[in-house]
Amino acid sequence: MNKLFFRVLNFIVMLVSVMIFANICMTNQLEQVNFKYLMLFILLFLAIHTFRFVRIYLIVLEEKIPLLNFLKLYVKTTFVSLLFPFKSGELYKMIAIGEEISNMTMGILSVFIDRIFDMYILIGIMVPYELIKFKDLSTLSTVLLVLMIAITLLFLSFPSFYRYTNKFFMLNSSSKKSIVVLELCEKMNYYYSTIKKLIHGRWGMLSTLSIFIWIAELLEINVVAIMLDKNVGIGYFIDYLNSAFSMQSNEILNTYIVLGAAFMIAIVLLVYALVNIGSRRVQRNA
């Protein structure tokens, strides 16, 4: 990707994020925060994003990105993801990782895998709760469940599909169309092989981290609910999730975004300061 284009994109995305943050701060009704619950929120927030950082770093481990550089990338893209609706900030994260490792395909697939592990655990929470509580599934749960079933079936069935397609077209056809189909199959096999490589030997750890992430996230949403003088319960967590994937206004979601984004700004400034200090030391020692 052109360096100038990425810098312009980076500037625009960060500017829009700050504007969204300012707008949410102005409309949020949280007047005062209990210090004890604020500290609990911060601790859980740190735990969640420590787990998330470790998970995606494990996925791109072979790329050998310097730890501090990847931390800088993570906090910047997470700040954007917190604020952009429909989780569209993940697109920016794909581009940023792809730019960092000079491989856009790897950037897209690494974030895709990260989201897939999130969704599997999330479905395990949402679907049983909604079926027991409401005897029905929300639109979000239905979409995620169908999507995950389709992805799982595609992933498991692809090797046999690939072998059969190659054998069929190589033995029964030599037309230009068959060559196009074979080339398409090879591209699909490349993506499939890349995904297998990215999760090989670490899917158990990725799944475990995802479980910890959603447990901590559930606890944190309940902390926010207590701040807003509401009762605790998984229902608030489900409402928060449905609002996060839509344009619906939600008091808990807005408060979570305000507190989380404010804390993430502090982390971004700290990490960038550490990176600059480290760079200066390297220059002095050179």
Side-chain angles (χ1 to χ4, degrees):
M1 180 182 290
N2 184 280
K3 292 287 185 182
L4 178 60
F5 173 79
F6 180 71
R7 287 176 182 173
V8 172
L9 175 65
N10 194 55
F11 174 78
I12 292 172
V13 169
M14 296 306 292
L15 179 61
V16 172
S17 299
V18 171
M19 291 172 64
I20 295 172
F21 176 62
N23 180 64
I24 295 175
C25 286
M26 291 174 64
T27 57
N28 190 265
Q29 300 297 315
L30 187 64
E31 296 179 358
Q32 59 181 6
V33 178
N34 183 292
F35 181 76
K36 178 178 68 175
Y37 291 121
L38 179 60
M39 289 299 100
L40 185 56
F41 176 91
I42 290 173
L43 288 174
L44 287 169
F45 190 83
L46 280 172
I48 289 166
H49 289 286
T50 298
F51 293 145
R52 288 191 180 279
F53 173 78
V54 172
R55 185 178 64 184
I56 195 164
Y57 194 70
L58 278 174
I59 293 171
V60 297
L61 194 61
E62 281 87 357
E63 300 302 321
K64 299 179 180 178
I65 306 172
L67 188 63
L68 201 54
N69 285 3
F70 194 74
L71 180 58
K72 176 182 172 183
L73 185 152
Y74 176 82
V75 295
K76 177 180 67 175
T77 56
T78 300
F79 173 69
V80 173
S81 295
L82 272 171
L83 294 163
F84 273 51
F86 305 114
K87 296 296 181 182
S88 56
E90 296 301 299
L91 298 174
Y92 173 66
K93 184 177 288 187
M94 291 177 179
I95 295 171
I97 293 176
E99 175 67 18
E100 176 69 26
I101 61 180
S102 300
N103 187 333
M104 201 54 62
T105 298
M106 194 68 75
I108 293 170
L109 291 179
S110 61
V111 177
F112 174 76
I113 292 168
D114 189 59
R115 295 291 90 192
I116 289 297
F117 275 91
D118 254 353
M119 288 184 184
Y120 272 117
I121 304 303
L122 191 56
I123 288 170
I125 297 172
M126 292 183 69
V127 170
Y129 173 80
E130 291 183 351
L131 288 176
I132 294 170
K133 182 76 174 180
F134 306 112
K135 311 299 182 186
D136 196 9
L137 294 179
S138 65
T139 302
L140 174 61
S141 294
T142 303
V143 170
L144 290 180
L145 183 60
V146 171
L147 187 62
M148 288 300 98
I149 291 174
I151 290 172
T152 302
L153 291 176
L154 284 172
F155 189 79
L156 293 176
S157 62
F158 179 78
S160 58
F161 167 79
Y162 173 72
R163 288 193 297 269
Y164 171 79
T165 305
N166 268 275
K167 182 178 179 181
F168 177 83
F169 281 100
M170 290 180 71
L171 294 177
N172 298 288
S173 178
S174 59
S175 66
K176 289 184 178 181
K177 288 184 179 180
S178 65
I179 294 174
V180 171
V181 172
L182 287 171
E183 288 177 348
L184 179 60
C185 285
E186 286 303 318
K187 285 184 179 180
M188 291 171 64
N189 186 54
Y190 168 73
Y191 297 139
Y192 173 81
S193 300
T194 302
I195 291 172
K196 282 193 68 176
K197 185 184 78 171
L198 291 174
I199 63 175
H200 178 69
R202 68 200 91 169
W203 68 268
M205 179 61 72
L206 296 176
S207 300
T208 302
L209 287 168
S210 299
I211 293 170
F212 288 158
I213 287 166
W214 285 115
I215 290 173
E217 193 94 38
L218 173 61
L219 293 173
E220 185 165 48
I221 294 305
N222 278 280
V223 168
V224 175
I226 293 172
M227 288 181 183
L228 298 171
D229 296 323
K230 299 180 183 294
N231 296 323
V232 297
I234 194 172
Y236 290 111
F237 180 66
I238 302 299
D239 290 342
Y240 153 79
L241 291 170
N242 282 298
S243 298
F245 283 89
S246 69
M247 291 296 289
Q248 297 175 357
S249 179
N250 181 286
E251 189 179 7
I252 291 178
L253 174 63
N254 289 345
T255 303
Y256 174 84
I257 291 174
V258 168
L259 295 176
F263 188 55
M264 189 57 70
I265 288 174
I267 296 175
V268 168
L269 294 174
L270 176 61
V271 169
Y272 271 69
L274 291 173
V275 170
N276 288 333
I277 291 170
S279 298
R280 289 176 183 176
R281 285 180 177 175
V282 170
Q283 290 175 358
R284 282 199 300 266
N285 294 332

